[in-house]
């Protein structure tokens, strides 16, 4: 797999979006303290945009004819990310932020580990990837615990 | 060590340092990290021969289905009627930024550089909060915050020079 620069740019844009959304959610909580309604309204608006995208571009046809293996994995991907989101809420209800957030920041390390297990041969995991994951996880913990995100 | 047999974990739990709620919270937090990692891994497998936006749409449709079930099961759907439009607007904006743009960028990144590098770069998102706090709110940088930022930037640099995926 080539590593075009665009992939790194998309990665940074992902971080930008994931970093901005909690700020918008916080504004929503000012008048409505309900994570369930917040998540439902948020994901429903994204669904609406995807429906609008798929309607004119014959995307529905692509959906019906797509590879079943790909469909299965993408369904699982959506399932896992929502299960993760729900588990995060529940975790924050049970334990303090100082315990929960550092553990969640280990996500890159689990991803690197699973990539090593499942994509051995097709995804090259170098020492720099491990060090990068460790430093980003540790830096994220320091930033979150410094209180700047609350 | 016979004197410690059977005392360690029980002491930790009963002593208040690790009560059962905290333990459950820790398990759920680890589950969160594992679920997010598995999401990136399965997306990588599913996106090999699929259009990024179509793949992201499937992610979002599945997520919506589950969230709607949670909404109905929680009984909170009734309070939607009395909800302030401004709040719903903020949540909708957050949804567009996170689930539409964020997930599409994440999947595009996974497709190009693989799950490990893409998900690790996505982990740099606390930097956004720091930038906003300093630039918009004029907050001072504490030493731990500066160290955190430096570690994230160095980590992102290492990922960007980590070679081809």
């Amino acid at each position: 797999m080539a590593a075009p620069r665009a992939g790194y740019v998309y990665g940074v844009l992902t971080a930008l979006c994931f970093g901005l959304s909690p700020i918008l959610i916080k504004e929503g909580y000012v008048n409505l303290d309900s994570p369930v309604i917040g998540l439902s309204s948020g994901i429903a608006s994204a669904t609406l945009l995807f429906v609008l995208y798929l309607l004119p571009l014959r995307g529905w046809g692509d959906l019906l004819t797509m590879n079943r293996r790909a469909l299965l994995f993408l369904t699982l991907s959506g399932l896992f990310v929502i299960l993760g989101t729900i588990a995060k809420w529940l975790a924050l209800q049970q334990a303090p932020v100082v315990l929960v957030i550092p553990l969640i920041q280990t996500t890159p390390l689990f991803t690197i580990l699973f990539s090593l297990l499942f994509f051995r041969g097709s995804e090259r995991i170098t020492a720099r990837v491990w060090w990068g994951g460790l430093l980003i996880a540790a830096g994220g913990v320091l930033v979150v615990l410094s209180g700047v995100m609350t | 060590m016979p004197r410690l047999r059977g005392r360690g974990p029980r002491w930790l739990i009963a002593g208040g340092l690790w009560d059962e709620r905290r333990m459950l919270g820790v398990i759920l937090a680890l589950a969160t990290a594992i679920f997010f990692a598995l999401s990136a891994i399965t997306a990588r497998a599913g996106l090999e021969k699929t259009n990024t936006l179509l793949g992201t749409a499937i992610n979002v449709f599945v997520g919506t289905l589950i969230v709607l079930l949670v909404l109905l099961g929680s009984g909170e759907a009734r309070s939607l009627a009395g909800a302030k439009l401004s709040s719903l607007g903020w949540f909708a904006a957050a949804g567009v930024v996170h689930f539409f743009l964020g997930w599409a960028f994440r999947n595009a990144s996974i497709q190009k550089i693989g799950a490990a590098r893409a998900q690790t770069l996505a982990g740099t998102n606390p930097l956004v909060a720091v930038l906003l706090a300093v630039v918009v709110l004029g907050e001072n940088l504490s030493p731990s915050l500066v160290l955190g930022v430096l570690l994230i930037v160095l980590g992102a640099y290492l990922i960007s020079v980590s070679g081809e995926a």
Side-chain angles (χ1 to χ4, degrees), chain B residues 17 28 148 160-161:
Chain B
L17 189 64
L28 285 165
S160 70
V161 294

Side-chain angles (χ1 to χ4, degrees), chain A residues 24-116:
Chain A
L24 300 170
I25 291 169
K26 210 188 261 183
E27 287 299 322
Y29 281 151
V30 171
N31 288 315
L32 183 63
D33 189 15
S34 166
V36 179
I37 290 182
L39 182 59
S40 308
S41 336
I43 204 161
S45 59
T47 300
L48 185 66
L49 283 182
F50 276 116
V51 168
L52 291 174
Y53 154 74
L54 287 172
L55 275 178
L57 297 175
R58 61 180 188 82
W60 295 113
D62 293 344
L63 191 62
L64 295 173
T65 57
M66 76 182 289
N67 181 295
R68 281 190 184 178
R69 180 179 175 272
L71 185 62
L72 171 70
F73 279 121
L74 290 166
T75 302
L76 282 174
S77 176
L79 181 71
F80 284 134
V81 83
I82 287 299
L83 286 177
T85 306
I86 293 169
K88 184 179 171 181
W89 282 348
L90 296 174
L92 286 167
Q93 281 175 356
Q94 302 294 324
V97 175
V98 290
L99 270 180
V100 173
I101 297 299
L103 291 170
I104 294 175
Q105 286 296 123
T106 60
T107 300
L109 301 178
F110 279 111
T111 313
I112 296 169
L113 182 68
F114 292 155
S115 293
L116 205 61

Side-chain angles (χ1 to χ4, degrees), chain B residues 9-140:
Chain B
R10 193 174 297 171
W11 172 80
L12 280 172
I13 292 169
L17 189 64
W18 286 100
D19 59 39
E20 284 176 18
R21 278 192 72 174
R22 280 185 181 205
M23 194 69 89
L24 181 60
V26 165
I27 292 167
L28 285 165
L30 275 174
T32 303
I34 291 169
F35 281 138
F36 285 163
L38 285 173
S39 169
I41 295 294
T42 44
R44 156 89 159 79
L47 288 164
E48 274 173 3
K49 289 173 186 169
T50 307
N51 171 286
T52 310
L53 277 177
L54 180 63
T56 313
I58 294 166
N59 291 166
V60 172
F61 292 160
V62 173
T64 304
L65 198 66
I66 296 165
V67 169
L68 286 179
L69 288 174
V70 171
L71 178 69
L72 293 172
S74 69
E76 286 198 44
R78 275 169 287 171
S79 54
L80 256 175
K84 283 203 170 183
L85 275 179
S86 62
S87 287
L88 294 178
W90 283 113
F91 290 141
V96 170
V97 170
H98 190 95
F99 297 115
F100 185 78
L101 295 173
W103 282 13
F105 284 136
R106 183 199 75 151
N107 283 346
S109 182
I110 286 174
Q111 219 168 22
K112 300 231 180 276
I113 57 174
R117 286 165 177 80
Q119 188 73 23
T120 306
L121 279 178
T124 61
N125 71 75
L127 275 184
V128 177
V130 178
L131 278 175
L132 285 172
V134 174
V135 176
V136 180
L137 303 174
E139 283 191 20
N140 291 322

